[in-house]
């Protein structure tokens, strides 16, 4: 009775295990829309699939009334096939499959809703010339594509199991484990039962593989014959991880079978003898002979049908057999080493055998994880989503990614009529080459009668009277001024000419590009490259109302994203998923009533200077924009009074020069440059350098937590080397309130403390006001010891009016020192921090406050881990006021200082 129950439990375990494994795989793959869409997109690798999909899309365009699809169907189909074989189309296809899959899971696709491939029309339009009306009709038809496929998909009953599949998998695996354990417990001969369970694992693993082979065969016969090979290959690749699991389950079984003592070892000779004997017995009867003939015929046809695939299975089967033989040999050595049957030593052999089994299972498990994970990665990789060309950037916020940019992007040698161009390629060509940030200038212009020399275009005269601002002195160039004036004087206004907006660099006389054309280029790129995010900074010399009207007329608005002050910046994936992959910033355009997408540039950006006569002058000093702004514009070009020179740009844009400047600015400003803008982006290494730095940093930045949508905090310290570029004078401590009288204080001690206190305050304020989210609190902690020391002397000697204003900063410094002590930092280390800070801040070289912060942070991290310092800094900053509110320390006039006996060599204007 026990033997029968044990046998029944083995059967139950054998049935439940593959059900549990397949259910667990399905939960992770078939019922997850992202994974399913990735693996489905892998089918686009096949030329047969691309051909068939292009054929179907051409047919649907024709049904939608597209004239080119009707008149030139074969030619349009070739163009569509070329468009399909692009990363951009794969992204659109993946999104459409994901959305349809989500609808199927929700039970909403049985009504015939198909794939939404409307966005693909923009890619097709870039290959063939579709009119605006044709594009509209086409996109309307392609928003419901391949409905017959999605109907068949929706009718599959497997989708109704979404809510229960995880339960099925868990229950099946628990039942398999419990049944196997029960069979061993009830068995009279446990070694035989364990061996039977091992063979059950072998059979289960091979059954999983066989079911996948059957699925390939069935699916390839259910589609168009032209697609059968492609569908079969896609299923094979998409289920490679499950197939690997099946083979490794069989390997587990063989390890168990080989580890248990048996009277028969299935060596090649034993297998050959048993197979020969079985064949010989069949041949003795007519029925047996017929069976052998049919079996041979079937095997032959199978190999003829799929020779390489079945040869692969045969090789894998041979590998499993070698696994069995290898384990058998190892255990025969163990048994021969401890052959005695004496009960006193039997435990020793059992222990050795158990250890060997555990080791082999661990090795097999490691191999299982590695091979199945690798197979899953390959299956997903073909459909992996990318953002600005790299999957690694998708989950990074805007302030964590660099955008290669062009300065005066419209001023291009290849754009007709531009003198003194600062780029070679046009805006359209720049975007196609990989530029993802455009710095453009809008001006009012009026078309004249004069023709531009060497072109068929009329010269455009700048309408200075209508503009918001004229070029500032630091942007003007005498040579350009003179040439523009000459051209303007010789250019009478054309008949019925109206003022319009043009993209010009200061003077439309020296080159212009219609604003509407530039917007059209940007829109076309955004539509046809939905996985690329583009930033545009507009130096707007035109009114916000006119500029906004032009943008709205261009049709670009649906692609424009809006950033919200006080909220976390979006990731690239966020923008791409919303189909809002363009960010537009205007330098001057702050006006009431403008749309939220028309963002003021220097409320979001801080920037570096832009007026350099040579690369030696490059620095990272603050320029426009608050140091608290989350994004940064790094201006990296040579201007001065020289004319644009691509040969100079080639040197300036070299990888060495770019890396040096970028790393220096990270160290000095504590923020990653968001846009790195250059002249002549075609020269040098801008694109490759930005990409290399982005990808190198991407692996060190924590990804978004999918559960709460937030990004884990990053370290508040910067690991870049100390800066080597001078940053100029220290930022002074702000002074606003006028102090008219001074009460008390010790003039001698006060004057002695004044200079070091001012230097310390300047360094701390320069650094703390430039802190970004990653540095919040760190500056306070590392400056705390030196700030406490100097401010304590200052407050104790200052007049009451000044001491009261300085006391909150002293208290903040004391809180910082207390926080350091709570972290375990001893008094000696705190003194060293103060001494080091004093030595640097009060030295003759007077390094800037950010440099000192970097040095002090590096020292403190030798005593404290970066993670603990970062956590403590965040906690500290959360409990303190905005430091800017503390910096009004009062201003004392000269007459007040004299009347109150506070004659110091240092000015009290900022004290």
């Amino acid at each position: 009775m026990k033997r029968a129950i044990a046998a029944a439990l083995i059967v139950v375990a054998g049935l439940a295990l593959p059900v549990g494994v397949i259910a667990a795989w399905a939960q992770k793959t078939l019922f997850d829309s992202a994974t399913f869409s990735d693996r489905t997109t892998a089918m686009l690798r096949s030329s047969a699939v691309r051909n068939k999909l292009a054929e179907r899309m051409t047919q649907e365009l024709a049904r939608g009334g597209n004239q080119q699809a009707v008149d030139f169907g074969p030619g349009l189909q070739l163009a569509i096939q070329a468009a399909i074989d692009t990363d951009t189309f794969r992204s659109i296809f993946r999104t459409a499959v994901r959305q349809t899959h989500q609808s199927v899971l929700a039970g909403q696709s049985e009504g015939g809703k198909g794939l939404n491939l409307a966005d693909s029309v923009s890619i097709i339009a870039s290959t063939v010339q579709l009119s605006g009306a044709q594009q509209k009709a086409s996109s309307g038809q392609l928003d419901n594509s391949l409905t017959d496929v999605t109907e068949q998909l929706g009718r599959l009953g497997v989708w109704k199991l979404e809510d229960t599949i995880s339960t099925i998998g868990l229950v099946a695996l628990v039942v398999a484990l419990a049944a196997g354990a029960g069979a061993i417990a009830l068995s009279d001969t446990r070694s035989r039962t364990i061996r039977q369970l091992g063979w059950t694992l072998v059979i289960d693993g091979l059954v999983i593989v066989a079911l996948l082979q059957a699925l390939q065969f069935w699916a390839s016969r259910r589609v168009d014959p032209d697609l059968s090979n492609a569908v079969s290959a896609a299923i094979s690749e998409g289920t490679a991880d499950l197939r690997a699991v099946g083979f490794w389950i069989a390997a587990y079984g063989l390890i168990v079978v080989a580890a248990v003592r048996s009277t028969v070892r299935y060596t090649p000779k034993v297998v050959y003898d048993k197979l020969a004997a079985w064949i010989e017995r069949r041949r003795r009867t007519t029925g047996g002979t017929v069976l052998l003939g049919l079996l041979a015929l079937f095997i032959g046809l199978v190999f003829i049908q799929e020779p390489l695939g079945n040869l692969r299975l045969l090789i894998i089967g041979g590998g499993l057999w070698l696994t069995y033989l290898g384990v058998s040999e190892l255990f025969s050595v163990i048994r021969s080493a401890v052959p005695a049957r004496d009960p006193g030593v039997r435990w020793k052999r059992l222990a050795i055998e158990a250890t060997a089994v555990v080791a082999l299972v661990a090795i097999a498990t490691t191999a299982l994880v590695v091979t199945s994970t690798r197979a899953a990665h390959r299956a997903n990789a073909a459909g992996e989503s990318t953002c600005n060309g790299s999957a690694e950037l998708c989950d990074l916020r805007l302030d964590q990614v660099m955008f290669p940019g062009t300065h005066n992007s419209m001023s291009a040698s290849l754009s007709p009529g531009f003198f003194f161009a600062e780029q070679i390629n046009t805006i359209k060509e720049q975007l196609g080459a990989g530029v993802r940030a455009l710095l453009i200038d809008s001006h009012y212009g009026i078309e004249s009668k004069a023709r531009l020399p060497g072109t068929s275009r009329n010269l455009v005269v700048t309408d200075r009277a209508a503009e918001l601002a004229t070029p500032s002195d630091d942007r003007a160039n005498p040579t350009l001024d003179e040439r523009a004036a000459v051209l303007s004087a010789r250019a009478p206004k054309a008949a019925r000419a109206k003022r319009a907006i043009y993209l010009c660099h200061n003077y439309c006389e020296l080159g212009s590009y219609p604003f509407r054309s530039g917007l059209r280029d940007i829109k076309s790129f955004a539509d046809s490259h939905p996985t690329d995010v583009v930033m545009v900074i507009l130096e707007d010399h035109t009114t916000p109302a006119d500029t906004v009207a032009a943008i709205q007329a261009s049709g670009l608005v649906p692609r424009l994203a809006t950033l919200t002050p006080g909220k976390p910046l979006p990731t690239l994936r966020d923008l791409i998923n919303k189909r809002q992959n363009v960010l537009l910033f205007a330098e001057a355009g702050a006006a009431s009533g403008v749309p939220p997408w028309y963002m003021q540039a220097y409320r979001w950006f801080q920037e570096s200077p832009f007026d350099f006569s040579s690369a030696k002058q490059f620095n990272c000093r603050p320029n426009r924009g608050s140091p608290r702004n989350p994004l940064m514009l790094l201006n990296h070009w040579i201007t001065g009074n020289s004319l644009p020179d691509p040969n100079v740009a080639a040197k300036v844009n070299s990888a060495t020069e770019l890396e040096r400047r970028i790393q220096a600015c990270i160290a000095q400003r504590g923020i990653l440059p968001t846009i790195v803008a250059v002249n002549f982006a075609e020269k040098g290494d801008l694109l490759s350098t930005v990409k290399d730095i982005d990808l190198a940093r991407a692996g060190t930045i924590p990804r978004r937590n999918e559960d709460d949508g937030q990004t884990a905090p990053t370290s508040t310290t910067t690991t870049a080397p100390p800066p080597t570029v001078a940053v100029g004078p220290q930022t002074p401590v702000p002074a606003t309130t006028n102090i008219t009288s001074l009460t008390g204080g010790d003039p001698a001690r006060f004057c002695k403390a004044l200079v070091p206190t001012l230097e310390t305050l300047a360094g701390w304020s320069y650094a703390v006001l430039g802190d970004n989210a990653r540095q919040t609190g760190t500056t306070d902690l590392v400056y705390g010891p030196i700030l406490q020391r100097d401010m304590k002397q200052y407050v104790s000697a200052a007049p009451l009016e000044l001491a009261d204003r300085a006391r909150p900063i002293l208290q903040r410094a004391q809180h910082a020192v207390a926080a350091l002590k709570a972290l375990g930092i001893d008094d000696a280390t705190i003194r060293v921090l103060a001494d080091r800070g004093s030595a640097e801040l009060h030295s003759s070289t007077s390094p800037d406050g950010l440099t000192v912060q970097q040095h002090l942070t590096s020292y403190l991290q030798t005593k404290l881990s970066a993670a603990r310092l970062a956590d403590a800094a965040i906690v500290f900053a959360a409990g303190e006021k905005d430091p800017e509110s503390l910096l009004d320390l009062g201003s004392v006039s000269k007459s007040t200082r004299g009347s109150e006996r506070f004659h110091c060599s240092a000015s009290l204007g900022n004290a």
Side-chain angles (χ1 to χ4, degrees), residues 530-589:
T531 61
D532 287 286
V533 177
V534 176
M535 288 189 174
V536 179
I537 296 183
L538 176 64
E539 183 182 314
D540 47 338
H541 295 268
T542 51
T543 66
D546 289 346
T547 310
V548 167
I551 295 169
Q552 290 172 333
S554 72
L556 182 62
V557 172
R559 286 288 180 183
L560 294 177
T562 301
L563 304 180
T564 305
K567 291 188 177 181
L569 291 172
T571 64
L572 298 190
R573 191 192 304 278
D574 292 334
L575 297 172
I576 288 167
N577 286 346
K578 292 179 180 178
R579 299 178 61 198
Q580 295 177 336
N581 55 327
V582 179
L583 296 107
L584 177 67
F585 303 90
E587 288 191 6

Side-chain angles (χ1 to χ4, degrees), residues 680-891:
F680 301 105
E682 304 82 2
K683 302 294 184 179
D685 309 298
L686 172 68
L687 299 178
S688 60
T689 301
V690 168
K691 181 179 180 181
D692 290 346
I693 295 176
D694 265 344
L695 294 180
R697 287 176 50 83
T700 66
I701 300 175
R703 293 299 192 268
R704 168 176 294 187
N705 185 327
E706 297 295 341
D707 294 333
D708 58 14
Q710 299 300 314
T711 302
T714 56
S715 171
T716 58
T717 60
T718 303
T719 57
T724 56
V725 182
V727 297
Q730 306 271 356
T731 299
V733 178
T736 55
T737 302
N738 185 37
I739 305 298
T740 58
S741 63
L742 299 176
T743 306
D746 185 331
R749 289 175 51 228
F750 175 78
C751 290
K752 183 178 180 181
L754 180 60
V755 172
T757 300
L758 288 177
E759 291 174 345
T760 299
L761 281 174
W764 170 74
S765 61
Y766 183 97
V768 79
L769 293 179
D771 278 352
N772 57 28
R774 292 179 293 116
Q775 295 173 311
T776 301
T778 302
T779 297
D780 283 300
L781 292 180
V782 299
Y783 267 93
I786 178 60
L787 201 58
Q788 176 182 249
R789 177 189 292 177
D790 288 349
M791 290 301 297
K792 189 174 181 179
Q793 295 176 358
Y794 174 88
V795 169
S796 67
L800 296 179
E801 293 82 357
L802 296 179
D804 288 343
R805 291 185 170 276
R807 193 167 285 108
I809 297 179
L810 172 59
Q811 292 172 346
R812 187 184 183 100
Q814 291 169 335
H815 295 166
V817 171
L820 291 176
K821 291 183 177 180
L823 291 171
I825 302 300
D826 57 26
D827 291 336
T829 301
I830 290 173
R831 284 195 298 273
V832 172
L833 277 171
D835 291 341
R836 289 185 174 221
S838 178
E840 292 199 38
L841 291 169
H842 308 330
S843 68
S844 58
T845 58
S846 299
D848 66 278
L850 284 173
T851 301
V852 176
Q853 189 251 37
Q854 293 295 320
H855 294 169
L856 295 178
T857 300
S858 298
Y859 171 73
L860 187 55
Q861 286 180 339
T862 64
K863 309 294 182 179
L864 188 69
S865 71
R868 286 195 67 199
L869 178 59
D871 291 342
I874 292 172
V875 172
F876 178 86
E880 297 292 330
K881 294 181 179 180
D882 183 344
E884 191 170 356
S885 66
L886 308 178
L887 294 179
D888 178 9
L889 300 183
S891 178

Side-chain angles (χ1 to χ4, degrees), residues 374-452:
R374 186 180 300 160
H377 177 73
R378 285 198 303 267
N380 293 335
E384 188 175 39
S385 59
T386 61
C387 304
N388 283 26
S390 300
E392 293 86 346
L393 305 181
C394 286
D395 292 322
L396 301 185
R397 299 187 311 269
L398 288 176
D399 60 333
Q400 295 173 327
V401 181
M402 289 198 297
F403 291 69
T406 50
H407 167 237
N408 288 327
S409 311
M410 69 286 163
S411 177
S413 300
L414 299 184
S415 184
F418 266 94
F419 297 91
F420 313 111
E422 292 177 283
Q423 306 296 331
I424 295 176
N425 291 330
T426 63
I427 288 176
K428 182 178 180 179
E429 292 164 338
Q430 291 169 29
L431 291 171
V435 169
R436 293 297 176 264
L438 304 171
L439 276 59
I440 56 179
D441 301 3
S442 66
H443 291 265
Y444 287 117
I446 301 175
E447 189 175 359
S448 72
K449 295 180 182 179
R451 286 286 178 89
L452 286 168

Side-chain angles (χ1 to χ4, degrees), residues 735-742 750 799 801-802 889-904 906-911:
T736 55
T737 302
N738 185 37
I739 305 298
T740 58
S741 63
L742 299 176
F750 175 78
E801 293 82 357
L802 296 179
L889 300 183
S891 178
V892 183
S893 66
K894 184 176 181 180
S895 60
T896 300
R897 293 201 307 271
S899 62
E900 299 293 343
R901 303 173 292 109
F902 284 91
H903 297 283
C904 299
S907 172
L908 284 175
N910 293 322

Side-chain angles (χ1 to χ4, degrees), residues 173-290:
L173 292 174
V174 171
V175 167
L177 183 62
I184 295 173
L186 294 174
S187 174
D188 295 330
T189 310
R190 291 180 178 174
S191 60
R192 181 183 62 191
T193 302
I194 294 173
R195 190 161 54 250
Q196 290 172 344
L197 286 171
W199 285 117
T200 301
L201 288 175
V202 173
I203 295 170
D204 281 347
L206 297 179
V207 163
I208 292 174
V209 175
L211 287 174
L212 294 178
Q213 291 294 109
L215 175 63
Q216 283 181 242
F217 180 82
W218 175 80
S220 63
R221 298 304 181 273
R222 299 274 294 182
V223 299
D224 189 296
D226 293 339
L227 294 179
S228 60
N229 289 338
V231 171
S232 178
I235 293 176
S236 176
E237 186 169 355
T239 59
D241 52 340
L242 181 58
R243 184 179 294 103
V245 170
F247 280 125
W248 280 106
I249 289 175
Y252 277 124
L254 289 174
I255 291 173
V256 173
V257 170
V260 179
R261 175 182 286 276
S262 174
T263 56
V264 179
R265 278 204 307 148
Y266 293 94
T267 61
K269 184 177 185 308
V270 170
V271 172
Y272 175 80
D273 290 343
K274 285 185 175 293
L275 182 60
W278 182 84
I279 293 174
E280 187 60 33
R281 288 195 300 272
R282 300 288 83 75
R283 295 181 64 187
R284 292 173 186 171
T285 63
T286 301
T289 303
V290 171

Side-chain angles (χ1 to χ4, degrees), residues 292-317:
L292 289 175
L294 292 175
L295 186 60
L297 181 62
F298 173 76
I299 294 174
L301 290 175
V302 167
F303 272 91
I304 291 172
Q305 182 75 16
E306 192 69 39
L308 294 179
N310 289 294
L311 180 61
R312 178 174 175 270
L313 291 177
L314 204 60
I315 293 172
I316 292 175

